[in-house]
Amino acid sequence: MTDLVTLTIDDRQVSVPKGTLVVDAAAKLDIEIPVFCSHPKLDPVACCRMCLVEISGPRGMMLMTACSVPVAQDMVVKTDTQQVKEVQEANLAFILLNHPLDCPICDKGGECPLQDQTMQFGPGLSQLVEPKRLKNKNYLISDTIVLDQERCVVCWRCIRYLEEWEDKPQLALFERGGRTIIDIQDGQPVDSKTSGNIIDICPVGALTNRVARFSYRPWEIERTPSICTQCSMGCNLRIDTRTHKLRRVIGRENMEVNDQWICDKGRFANGWVNDAGRLTMPLVRKDGKLQPASWGEALGMVAERLQGIKQQHGADAIGAIGSAKLANEGNYLLQRFMRQLIGTNNIDHRDGGDVAALPGGLPALVDVMKPQYGPDPKHDVILLVGLDPNEELPVLDVHLKRAVRRGKAQLVIVHPRQIELTRYNGPFLQANPGTEVTLLNGLLRALTEREETKSEAHALVSGASDRQVEQLCNVRMAEVRKAADLLAAAQNPLLIYGTGVAHGKAGMALRQALINLALYLGKPENLAYVGREANSQGCRDMGVLPDRLPGHAALDDRMASDLLGKLWNCSLPVHPGKTYKQMLDAAGSEIKALYLMGADPASERPTWAENLDKLDFLVVQEIFLTETAAKADVVLPAVSWAEQDGAFTNLERRVQRAPRALGNPQSKAASDWMILDHLATYFDAQWGHSSAQAVSAEIAQAAPIYAGLTWEALGDQGLQWSVADHRYVLPEMSYGRAVQPDLPSAADGALALLSGSVLYDGGALFSLTERMRNMAFGATVHLNPTDAAKLSVAEDEAVTVRSDYGALTLAVKLDATVKPGVAWIPESLPGAPVGALLNGSATTSIVIEK
């Protein structure tokens, strides 16, 4: 039980836990002590002196800072004496001496603590007669953050966030006295992936959002609690809108998910929501061109053509692709449409059936966040395999840094690139791309070597000798054994793997190797697959897979089939369908028609773009006329996540609401679920969903794991479905042999190709936020300087990158984080589809030609 301390504040007693700061104890009594530097998420520094109050001590009542002094038994605090009031007035007078009087044009005006405290605690009149000191205004400290040094009150909040959370001391104090300023370090701009959080915590208008600057007034906006859809974290945020436009996005506290932090992509890269190029009405191909049409004409054509193809070629000649970027409701109805009305299991999404995932997700984000609540981490050793949180999950990256620095957690990282988290003292196993299975087998063998009686696990790794690990993976066994020592001593290890190493047969082997490792450590429940997209978990939960029904039930699960058969009033198809890759590879041959919702495969691989042209019929449901949509016979205009009600399921199985925040009265675009619900009527099916909430209610019936998770029950913080209550959804974990897949043959001088996602990818949606375009990756191939020297290529030089499957012309970037012998090309780069080189394989060899 927590020790309580009783003290008296302004003649009122209060009992609070030991260690509570005086300012927080006063808040329990609804007594406001003014602060600027103090923030509940940051360590106290007591630099602004606004919180000075009288506190009893050995020498009687003395002025002390309430934000840094912990409570003591029988302490007496006075916040309303004449001396305290005079000090507060004096502090505000000093702050306002050189503070500009530009409140009418300041973005912070109307929600500014300095304004509020000046009215409540200030002197009322300024005694300044001299000219104010001038400093830098409209000063860019990054592409997205503007600093006004005249408005700064030197509270250090921005400095402390970057140091305490991001571990990047990129801002500092310069000069002295009244000339003190906040500035960047050594001319290096702030580049932290979550730097925008310093705007939220700034108590004045010194730091402002360059993307949203001067586009709103706080008292005129409508505020909608929502979630971010840029990655699978599901960070909570608030959408501020006015006159049918998204004006600003700020972080929203959810202590189970993101604390109150969001990444810069989620905060700033939302220009596409307001873009004038959005689709606003259906398009139908006539005389070889896409032309505007009514909803009735478009949906009628979709129904007629799909029914005709089904009658001529069979149901399995039709496929559908959903999207992990879209909400549960639309994805659920898409798979219902295919299974009930078309009669096929040809339903999947990118990184769906082609990926060796696990259905349970991360055990709980709060267990990773544990260090902020106490000194001990919930997970003392965290193994990351093929995952770069800094690029893929920036807020998880912040939590992991906190776990290492505050909770003393240890990281073990398996990745072909030297990702940012490798700067912490933990084993970094930089295996060659595609050799991760051998490395993990070697890690398990290092663990079993200490056994006196050899276990079942030891027999599985007889092929992973020291020599094989060192030669094939190019990793020293000494580092592998160091990692084994950490895992062996761990009380509660967490094992996470990402999409980049989970594709195809290689992914299946890697998953088995990780299962073996988790079983040996006695923590199979702590093995987690983490997807990249906002609804990677939700897509799987909804049954947008060719071999799984809603709730992860197998196709031959009699109980699940009977449940859905009664709910949908149909018989379900029983044979597994084609995966995402299989459908696109077979487009124009076995697959005659495709219904794509929020997917753009034409931009991923040239061969898929060619195959889409061969289809008898293509339907695309999208918000923009993408490369794929331009090939469609019918384009159905959808709305964004901000313009429809929808629920998303994050990487820890937390189902969260994203309510409609705005709409466009000039557009005829519709919600994803609504389009499918209306399309069903053309198949003589009356689903009768009147709202997204009604679809959510059906999901709670169709998927037992979602029982009780209705729209109303989710609230603003979301609810997590329990693996413990639904263990049947988990695959049976047992030891099995994980066989290293054959690696592609390589010519002399060839490099291994590595790909992966980056946060600022410069993709179609990202590039629509003008202020962020300079932050995007270009069409580049990243080479270790050693390899570049061998190839005689220089920085920014144009080269041809060629594999057995295709070629790309890219600019060279010298990158010491890339392992020698490896070339790294990020995914989703504009004009550079790395899929043209990979053709579905996890890795391949390439040559660089000048």
Side-chain angles (χ1 to χ4, degrees):
M1 182 178 293
T2 304
D3 293 337
L4 293 180
V5 172
T6 300
L7 68 158
T8 302
I9 305 177
D10 293 344
D11 301 321
R12 297 164 60 190
Q13 276 198 345
V14 63
S15 296
V16 294
K18 185 178 179 181
T20 301
L21 298 174
V22 170
V23 67
D24 297 322
K28 296 284 186 183
L29 296 172
D30 294 326
I31 296 173
E32 181 182 3
I33 298 176
V35 295
F36 287 120
C37 67
S38 177
H39 192 280
K41 313 295 184 182
L42 304 174
D43 295 342
V45 291
C47 64
C48 74
R49 320 307 283 177
M50 270 305 299
C51 67
L52 284 169
V53 294
E54 293 190 44
I55 299 177
S56 59
R59 302 180 183 177
M61 301 298 289
M62 298 177 62
L63 285 174
M64 299 186 194
T65 49
C67 76
S68 64
V69 175
V71 297
Q73 184 64 34
D74 299 326
M75 176 184 280
V76 176
V77 179
K78 296 288 186 180
T79 73
D80 56 358
T81 65
Q82 186 61 33
Q83 184 182 24
V84 168
K85 291 178 181 179
E86 289 175 356
V87 168
Q88 290 170 349
E89 288 186 1
N91 271 328
L92 279 166
F94 276 116
I95 289 171
L96 293 171
L97 277 178
N98 293 300
H99 194 87
L101 298 178
D102 56 2
C103 298
I105 62 165
C106 179
D107 281 349
K108 198 77 170 183
E111 55 183 14
C112 175
L114 180 58
Q115 283 184 325
D116 296 339
Q117 292 188 31
T118 299
M119 295 297 293
Q120 186 174 353
F121 303 103
L125 292 174
S126 174
Q127 300 177 28
L128 178 70
V129 293
E130 297 85 0
K132 291 178 181 287
R133 287 178 176 168
L134 303 180
K135 300 174 184 176
N136 282 329
K137 299 181 75 69
N138 305 327
Y139 174 36
L140 295 183
I141 60 171
S142 76
D143 286 305
T144 52
I145 303 176
V146 182
L147 170 62
D148 186 325
Q149 291 177 335
E150 290 183 357
R151 296 176 185 167
C152 178
V153 295
V154 197
C155 69
W156 301 15
R157 285 188 184 184
C158 52
I159 295 173
R160 289 146 62 205
Y161 172 79
L162 292 172
E163 289 181 352
E164 295 173 20
W165 288 89
E166 270 286 2
D167 195 16
K168 291 185 175 179
Q170 297 179 328
L171 290 175
L173 294 175
F174 296 87
E175 305 296 339
R176 299 177 62 185
R179 298 184 184 275
T180 301
I181 57 171
I182 301 288
D183 207 342
I184 56 177
Q185 296 269 24
D186 300 324
Q188 297 297 318
V190 175
D191 64 2
S192 155
K193 298 292 197 307
T194 67
S195 62
N197 291 308
I198 65 178
I199 300 172
D200 288 349
I201 63 176
C202 180
V204 292
L207 295 166
T208 52
N209 180 331
R210 191 182 180 208
V211 175
R213 193 169 164 86
F214 303 137
S215 67
Y216 65 92
R217 300 303 290 174
W219 57 85
E220 294 180 335
I221 54 179
E222 295 183 27
R223 298 167 170 84
T224 305
S226 188
I227 61 165
C228 180
T229 60
Q230 299 286 5
C231 77
S232 57
M233 271 290 289
C235 295
N236 286 216
L237 50 75
R238 194 185 80 200
I239 299 174
D240 291 348
T241 60
R242 181 174 180 267
T243 60
H244 308 296
K245 289 187 179 295
L246 188 154
R247 303 289 180 171
R248 175 178 67 164
V249 169
I250 66 172
R252 179 169 66 91
E253 184 177 87
N254 186 331
M255 298 307 295
E256 303 294 320
V257 180
N258 58 306
D259 200 302
Q260 74 172 59
W261 316 125
I262 60 175
C263 78
D264 287 359
K265 188 173 184 179
R267 179 184 303 275
F268 300 118
N270 296 296
W272 57 275
V273 175
N274 299 331
D275 193 79
R278 293 271 303 276
L279 293 170
T280 59
M281 62 190 310
L283 302 174
V284 171
R285 191 169 296 278
K286 298 177 182 178
D287 300 323
K289 295 182 178 180
L290 287 171
Q291 300 181 24
S294 68
W295 272 106
E297 180 184 0
L299 294 178
M301 178 180 286
V302 173
E304 179 184 350
R305 294 294 303 277
L306 291 182
Q307 287 169 333
I309 291 171
K310 176 182 176 181
Q311 186 174 5
Q312 182 178 359
H313 300 285
D316 289 337
I318 302 172
I321 293 174
S323 174
K325 297 179 180 180
L326 304 181
N328 287 336
E329 292 78 8
N331 279 302
Y332 169 79
L333 289 187
L334 180 64
Q335 64 83 34
R336 177 179 173 181
F337 173 79
M338 294 302 293
R339 290 184 165 119
Q340 177 190 354
L341 302 182
I342 301 298
T344 180
N345 285 312
N346 286 343
I347 174 73
D348 201 5
H349 64 285
R350 186 184 182 193
D351 296 336
D354 298 309
V355 166
L358 289 170
L362 203 66
L365 276 168
V366 73
D367 291 342
V368 180
M369 298 161 64
K370 184 80 172 179
Q372 63 188 302
Y373 307 123
D376 299 321
K378 177 71 172 179
H379 297 295
D380 47 353
V381 176
I382 301 170
L383 171 66
L384 301 177
V385 180
L387 183 71
D388 182 0
N390 185 58
E391 294 289 352
E392 299 175 43
L393 302 152
V395 175
L396 177 62
D397 185 69
V398 168
H399 291 327
L400 289 172
K401 290 175 182 176
R402 192 82 165 176
V404 171
R405 299 178 67 221
R406 298 295 178 99
K408 307 304 179 186
Q410 293 279 330
L411 296 180
V412 178
I413 296 173
V414 178
H415 203 286
R417 278 194 310 111
Q418 190 173 348
I419 65 174
E420 182 173 313
L421 287 174
T422 60
R423 63 192 174 110
Y424 298 104
N425 290 328
F428 171 38
L429 310 179
Q430 194 174 15
N432 290 330
T435 66
E436 292 86 0
V437 174
T438 294
L439 179 71
L440 292 172
N441 284 340
L443 180 58
L444 181 58
R445 188 173 65 81
L447 282 164
T448 62
E449 282 177 342
R450 64 193 73 212
E451 297 176 349
E452 293 183 6
T453 303
K454 300 306 180 185
S455 65
E456 179 183 359
H458 182 77
L460 295 172
V461 294
S462 56
S465 66
D466 287 11
R467 182 178 179 183
Q468 286 173 311
V469 171
E470 293 191 342
Q471 288 189 349
L472 186 65
C473 306
N474 194 19
V475 174
R476 293 169 52 242
M477 273 304 296
E479 282 297 297
V480 176
R481 289 193 171 87
K482 182 179 176 183
D485 290 341
L486 280 177
L487 289 167
Q491 297 297 310
N492 194 25
L494 176 65
L495 290 70
I496 308 174
Y497 69 107
T499 304
V501 291
H503 280 272
K505 292 181 180 179
M508 294 176 66
L510 180 129
R511 180 178 62 182
Q512 184 60 60
L514 283 168
I515 288 174
N516 294 341
L517 190 60
L519 288 170
Y520 185 83
L521 295 172
K523 294 292 181 180
E525 69 278 10
N526 284 358
L527 173 58
Y529 164 77
V530 171
R532 290 174 178 165
E533 306 289 358
N535 212 20
S536 291
Q537 180 70 41
C539 254
R540 295 178 177 278
D541 293 351
M542 294 303 103
V544 186
L545 291 168
D547 59 351
R548 286 290 183 271
L549 299 172
H552 299 279
L555 297 179
D556 60 359
D557 186 319
R558 187 64 177 270
M559 184 178 297
S561 296
D562 289 347
L563 170 66
L564 293 173
K566 291 178 182 177
L567 185 63
W568 299 346
N569 192 27
C570 71
S571 296
L572 299 182
V574 295
H575 300 294
K578 294 183 183 300
T579 66
Y580 180 85
K581 180 181 183 298
Q582 289 169 343
M583 282 189 279
L584 292 166
D585 285 344
S589 55
E590 295 174 60
I591 297 294
K592 305 297 183 183
L594 279 174
Y595 191 121
L596 307 185
M597 184 178 76
D600 186 18
S603 67
E604 296 177 42
R605 293 181 196 168
T607 53
W608 287 351
E610 294 171 6
N611 289 351
L612 292 175
D613 288 331
K614 301 173 185 176
L615 287 168
D616 291 353
F617 190 61
L618 175 61
V619 186
V620 176
Q621 188 169 308
E622 259 293 356
I623 59 175
F624 285 97
L625 193 66
T626 61
E627 188 175 338
T628 301
K631 297 176 177 292
D633 297 289
V634 177
V635 179
L636 304 175
V639 295
S640 73
W641 109 102
E643 297 157 305
Q644 61 179 313
D645 290 334
F648 292 76
T649 308
N650 78 348
L651 53 76
E652 60 156 5
R653 311 177 313 283
R654 182 172 298 275
V655 187
Q656 301 184 103
R657 300 191 313 199
R660 181 176 183 268
L662 72 158
N664 182 357
Q666 307 300 320
S667 173
K668 294 183 179 179
S671 303
D672 293 301
W673 69 265
M674 185 180 293
I675 294 171
L676 290 159
D677 190 85
H678 281 262
L679 178 59
T681 64
Y682 288 80
F683 287 77
D684 298 324
Q686 300 297 324
W687 289 351
H689 300 109
S690 60
S691 64
Q693 290 79 354
V695 183
S696 296
E698 182 180 316
I699 293 170
Q701 292 179 277
I705 59 176
Y706 277 56
L709 301 183
T710 61
W711 183 270
E712 295 75 18
L714 296 179
D716 287 340
Q717 303 280 295
L719 294 172
Q720 190 179 25
W721 65 263
S722 169
V723 171
D725 294 341
H726 303 282
R727 291 198 175 277
Y728 63 89
V729 306
L730 298 179
E732 183 178 347
M733 287 194 181
S734 58
Y735 284 114
R737 189 168 295 277
V739 179
Q740 169 65 49
D742 292 334
L743 297 176
S745 58
D748 291 340
L751 303 175
L753 175 60
L754 173 67
S755 186
S757 63
V758 291
L759 193 65
Y760 306 140
D761 55 21
L765 297 187
F766 183 86
S767 62
L768 292 175
T769 301
E770 182 181 357
R771 299 297 191 188
M772 301 193 79
R773 288 176 189 165
N774 291 336
M775 302 168 67
F777 276 72
T780 54
V781 54
H782 293 240
L783 302 176
N784 188 279
T786 303
D787 291 323
K790 290 179 181 178
L791 295 166
S792 300
V793 295
E795 179 88 3
D796 296 327
E797 182 176 349
V799 296
T800 298
V801 182
R802 191 178 305 278
S803 75
D804 290 341
Y805 309 108
L808 293 174
T809 299
L810 305 170
V812 170
K813 287 294 178 186
L814 303 185
D815 189 344
T817 69
V818 177
K819 187 171 186 175
V822 175
W824 178 48
I825 304 175
E827 292 180 1
S828 303
L829 300 184
V834 69
L837 303 175
L838 287 168
N839 195 35
S841 54
T843 185
T844 191
S845 61
I846 55 99
V847 292
I848 305 289
E849 301 172 353
K850 296 182 68 173

